[in-house]
Amino acid sequence: MEATRLALAWCSLETWQPPALAVLCRSVEVRRQYGAALLPACREVAALERHDLKCLAYALAVLDEETLVVLHEPTGTGFEIRIGGIGDNFQLHTLLAHVLIGGGHVPGTAPSAESVRLATDPAPAQGRTETVTTGAFELLAPDGERLWNEGLPDDIPVVEGRRLLVLGEPAYRRGWNADRFFPHLPGTAELTRVLPADEARAWFGRTAFAGSGGVGES
């Protein structure tokens, strides 16, 4: 009987994904309460390659009210940016460009207003659009390894208790559809602080880009 129950549970696993996503995408409290506990188990099951649980894993990994330390390697500047509700690094990339380039803090071409709206609109996304946004940065880990747009903000390494992201010059021109991964989950990104020059240099010193950090605002 127990074997039958487990077999039925295994076979019906994917049918539970849509209702779980519906709750996770609408409740910060649920994500906070269950995300960290369930994500490892979800990834273990997904690794068996018998069930497609990518969406569930992404939803469980969503960061809320998370402050990133973001270093812009070409200018040597640093920032604290608080993010939430972001489904993947494509969406993160768009919002970082909006905050930093659109806000006049670093040079470059800011994403279009429509790209930003698609990433942040509280109303659920209605179908797929043809809006394309172009990458402004190379997303890098502190050791210089690339963080792929297909990945998650949760992939950003933690250094001394803070998630630390380095933005480099893009290795090549790349565009992507601006629709967000979770239609019912609006993303947020807010600049909370521009790091003083000495603090930016100190953070750069914890990365493979230790020669940067000389142009920060004081």
Side-chain angles (χ1 to χ4, degrees):
M1 181 64 70
E2 179 67 9
T4 300
R5 187 179 68 83
L6 291 173
L8 290 173
W10 175 258
C11 293
S12 65
L13 188 59
E14 285 188 47
T15 65
W16 290 98
Q17 183 169 221
L21 289 173
V23 176
L24 288 166
C25 288
R26 289 170 172 81
S27 175
V28 173
E29 289 72 20
V30 171
R31 293 197 297 272
R32 285 176 175 165
Q33 184 172 354
Y34 297 105
L38 295 179
L39 181 58
C42 180
R43 285 175 169 166
E44 286 181 13
V45 172
L48 298 174
E49 299 183 348
R50 293 295 186 271
H51 296 286
D52 182 3
L53 299 179
K54 175 181 177 179
C55 291
L56 181 58
Y58 272 39
L60 291 169
V62 167
L63 302 177
D64 291 293
E65 295 297 315
E66 182 87 6
T67 298
L68 310 179
V69 174
V70 180
L71 304 177
H72 187 248
E73 193 276 333
T75 61
T77 48
F79 311 88
E80 287 184 351
I81 297 177
R82 185 168 57 239
I83 66 169
I86 295 176
D88 60 18
N89 286 341
F90 286 112
Q91 189 179 9
L92 175 66
H93 196 143
T94 298
L95 293 181
L96 289 176
H98 169 61
V99 169
L100 296 178
I101 299 176
H105 299 283
V106 301
T109 302
S112 68
E114 179 62 9
S115 295
V116 175
R117 186 193 70 78
L118 289 169
T120 61
D121 192 348
Q126 301 296 321
R128 188 172 178 83
T129 74
E130 299 300 321
T131 304
V132 173
T133 192
T134 301
F137 311 116
E138 196 75 38
L139 306 184
L140 301 167
D143 63 1
E145 288 295 312
R146 179 181 293 170
L147 296 173
W148 296 97
N149 285 319
E150 291 82 358
L152 307 173
D154 187 59
D155 297 333
I156 299 171
V158 175
V159 176
E160 297 186 12
R162 307 291 297 278
R163 291 190 187 272
L164 180 57
L165 175 66
V166 180
L167 304 178
E169 292 284 1
Y172 56 92
R173 184 177 176 85
R174 183 184 186 189
W176 57 85
N177 181 276
D179 296 335
R180 62 192 186 224
F181 190 85
F182 292 114
H184 291 272
L185 185 57
T188 62
E190 176 189 3
L191 176 65
T192 58
R193 194 162 69 96
V194 178
L195 301 185
D198 57 347
E199 189 174 350
R201 280 193 295 270
W203 279 110
F204 271 111
R206 299 175 175 95
T207 74
F209 309 92
S212 302
V215 195
E217 299 181 31
S218 58

